[in-house]
Amino acid sequence: PSTSFFPSPSCSRSKSHFYFIALPALFKRELQNTEAEEGGTATLRCELTKPKAPVEWRKGDVTLYPGLKYEMKQQGCAAELVISDLELDDS
């Protein structure tokens, strides 16, 4: 998974404007290897340091989107990718 940046309490002031320095959401718990059978379902999980941080799931350079094959779930700091109907290409 890839994470985005969010405003943080750290900021600088210039001519009555505030500029926030964005700190990245980091992995608190990274993805672990998962074993599953062909035709089955696999769930990949990670935990971020910021709740509800936007997550983009990728396989190499390809961005994954929700559909029949992929389901993305996120609750608080936890993010999950569920891959259905597993094939050898999903490894």
Side-chain angles (χ1 to χ4, degrees), residues 7-45:
S8 72
S10 304
C11 64
S12 61
R13 186 177 177 159
S14 172
K15 295 184 181 181
S16 75
H17 295 290
F18 287 94
Y19 299 95
F20 288 90
I21 299 169
L23 296 177
L26 303 173
F27 288 106
K28 194 173 183 179
R29 188 181 63 155
E30 295 192 17
L31 291 175
Q32 302 295 313
N33 288 336
T34 301
E35 290 188 23
E37 292 185 17
E38 191 172 356
T41 299
T43 301
L44 301 173
R45 294 179 182 90

Side-chain angles (χ1 to χ4, degrees), residues 70-82:
Y70 303 111
E71 180 183 0
M72 287 81 172
K73 300 177 183 180
Q74 194 165 356
Q75 184 174 0
C77 292
E80 289 185 351
L81 171 66
V82 179

